[in-house]
């Protein structure tokens, strides 16, 4: 289903390897030039190349960048590491199982790396859906065996996991009972386990398709992709919803032309230091200063 997201993108160019300056606040060694009001391709020739590249997630120490690439009908999880002077060419993430698709990396407040995959839950699982999985960091740069997030997953597809610092988990799913083909849900931790996911309602979700949610740390703003909403700039645009009185979501609004184009925009991500907003568009991973997000984040 996510192939729909990619039909509308155009080819990108390859540039030379990018050197980095001193690390910015938060410890992330951002490559130059830094974007301001115009979204730029991130790490041209390393992350954004001549392939379909998407997703964005920095490791907690800011020295590894995880993203995905579409290759031969599968989504491949890649990582680029900072060697002290520059970002290195990407390699397959060490925990990835190349027999299946893996995408949508996100670090949770517990330090685990969460992602989606179409790998079966067990030998009896024959459903061709995507679930949320996670791996935990171990000593020596290793990872635990992948674990399925059973409390949140369903017999339908789950896409694009993101977290608030309090552990609230946001994701998209086409499970029954939604407003459209895919809706955005939130599940909250209770007594050490995740509660039944809640649909975010008609202010966020529509009769079309919503996916790729990302909340601000205080959960007062939610960024996500909506498909074919009236008045949009392209087939899929970034939208935002604000919390009213800290209780319910106000009706979602289009994020505007600094982010949206006639192409398809998706994979919202805010850097941990709050300086930059990442999204995917035109086969590239792009970034822009959060000063130009709605509300001047």
């Amino acid at each position: 289903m996510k192939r729909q997201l990619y039909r509308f993108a155009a080819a990108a160019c390859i540039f030379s390897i990018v050197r980095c300056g001193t690390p910015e606040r938060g410890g992330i060694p951002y490559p130059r030039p830094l974007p301001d009001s115009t979204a730029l391709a991130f790490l041209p020739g390393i992350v954004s190349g001549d392939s379909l590249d998407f997703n964005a997630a920095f490791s907690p120490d800011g020295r590894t960048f995880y993203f995905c690439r579409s290759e031969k009908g599968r989504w491949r999880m890649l990582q680029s590491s900072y060697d002290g002077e520059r970002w290195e060419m990407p390699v397959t993430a060490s925990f990835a199982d190349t027999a299946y698709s893996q995408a949508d990396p996100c670090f949770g407040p517990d330090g685990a790396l969460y992602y989606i995959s179409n790998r079966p839950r067990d030998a009896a699982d024959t459903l061709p859906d995507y679930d949320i999985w996670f791996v935990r960091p171990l000593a020596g740069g290793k990872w635990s065996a992948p674990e399925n997030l059973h409390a949140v997953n369903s017999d339908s597809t789950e896409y694009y996991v993101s977290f608030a610092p309090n552990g609230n988990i946001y994701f998209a799913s086409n499970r029954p009972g939604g407003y459209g083909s895919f809706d955005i849900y939130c599940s909250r931790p209770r007594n050490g386990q995740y509660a039944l996911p809640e649909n975010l309602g008609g202010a966020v979700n529509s009769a079309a398709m919503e996916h790729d949610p990302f909340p601000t740390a205080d959960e007062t703003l939610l960024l996500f992709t909506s498909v074919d909403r009236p008045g949009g700039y392209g087939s899929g645009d970034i939208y935002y919803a604000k919390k009213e009185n800290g209780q319910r979501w106000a009706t979602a609004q289009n994020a505007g032309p600094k982010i949206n184009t006639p192409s398809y925009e998706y994979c919202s991500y805010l850097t941990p230091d709050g300086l930059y907003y990442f999204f995917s568009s035109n086969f590239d991973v792009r970034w822009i200063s959060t000063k130009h997000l709605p509300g001047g984040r």
Side-chain angles (χ1 to χ4, degrees):
M1 293 181 181
K2 216 169 186 182
R3 291 192 190 93
Q4 298 172 39
L5 307 183
Y6 307 138
R7 293 185 312 194
F8 308 99
C13 299
I14 298 180
F15 294 85
S16 57
I17 290 177
V18 178
R19 281 188 175 270
C20 301
T22 10
E24 293 291 321
R25 177 160 53 95
I28 299 175
Y30 293 115
R32 271 50 176 181
L34 298 173
D36 187 34
S37 60
T38 300
L40 302 178
F42 184 68
L43 286 173
I46 300 175
V47 170
S48 298
D50 61 352
S51 48
L52 196 164
D53 304 306
F54 59 103
N55 288 149
F58 284 100
S59 60
D61 66 2
R63 268 32 185 187
T64 305
F65 182 81
Y66 293 86
F67 68 102
C68 294
R69 181 166 288 165
S70 181
E71 293 181 343
K72 299 178 180 178
R74 289 198 181 105
W75 301 334
R76 180 184 172 204
M77 187 87 72
L78 299 171
Q79 64 182 67
S80 173
S81 299
Y82 184 68
D83 67 3
E85 292 187 3
R86 68 181 72 200
W87 288 93
E88 299 174 331
M89 295 301 293
V91 297
T92 301
S94 58
F95 62 84
D97 185 340
T98 56
Y100 304 100
S101 283
Q102 281 101 180
D104 300 348
C106 179
F107 281 89
D110 58 357
L113 195 160
Y114 292 76
Y115 61 99
I116 65 165
S117 178
N118 60 352
R119 63 184 297 153
R121 299 182 192 182
D122 50 44
D125 182 11
T126 59
L127 292 173
D129 65 328
Y130 281 81
D131 276 354
I132 298 167
W133 294 77
F134 64 93
V135 289
R136 299 188 184 279
L138 303 175
K142 296 183 179 180
W143 296 93
S144 67
E147 298 180 54
N148 188 285
L149 192 60
H150 294 286
V152 171
N153 291 316
S154 69
D155 286 340
S156 300
T157 280
E158 281 71 44
Y159 274 156
Y160 205 86
V161 58
S162 58
F163 287 90
N166 60 11
N168 289 349
I169 183 171
Y170 292 78
F171 63 96
S173 178
N174 64 345
R175 62 187 63 193
Y179 289 77
S181 60
F182 273 81
D183 279 7
I184 295 171
Y185 292 80
C186 178
S187 178
R188 307 173 193 281
R190 290 178 186 164
N191 302 319
Q193 294 192 10
Y194 276 102
L196 184 70
E198 301 172 6
N199 189 298
L200 294 195
V204 171
N205 295 308
S206 73
M209 179 184 192
E210 279 71 42
H211 58 87
D212 294 6
F214 201 98
T216 52
D218 58 7
E219 292 182 280
T220 60
L221 183 75
L222 181 73
L223 294 148
F224 62 96
T225 292
S226 185
V227 181
D228 292 331
R229 283 203 187 194
Y233 293 84
S235 54
D237 280 0
I238 302 296
Y239 281 74
Y240 68 96
K242 291 185 176 182
K243 276 270 180 76
E244 291 182 325
N245 302 319
Q247 298 296 320
R248 62 178 186 175
W249 296 103
T251 301
Q253 305 292 321
N254 192 291
K258 287 185 178 178
I259 294 170
N260 292 313
T261 72
S263 184
Y264 203 116
E265 281 70 49
Y266 57 110
C267 293
S268 287
Y269 171 75
L270 293 166
T271 55
D273 55 23
L275 293 177
Y276 298 102
Y277 169 65
F278 281 67
F279 63 102
S280 302
S281 178
N282 286 315
F283 276 34
D284 285 344
V285 177
R286 297 181 177 273
W287 58 324
I288 191 171
S289 171
T290 51
K291 295 183 295 184
H292 303 285
L293 283 178
R297 305 303 295 191

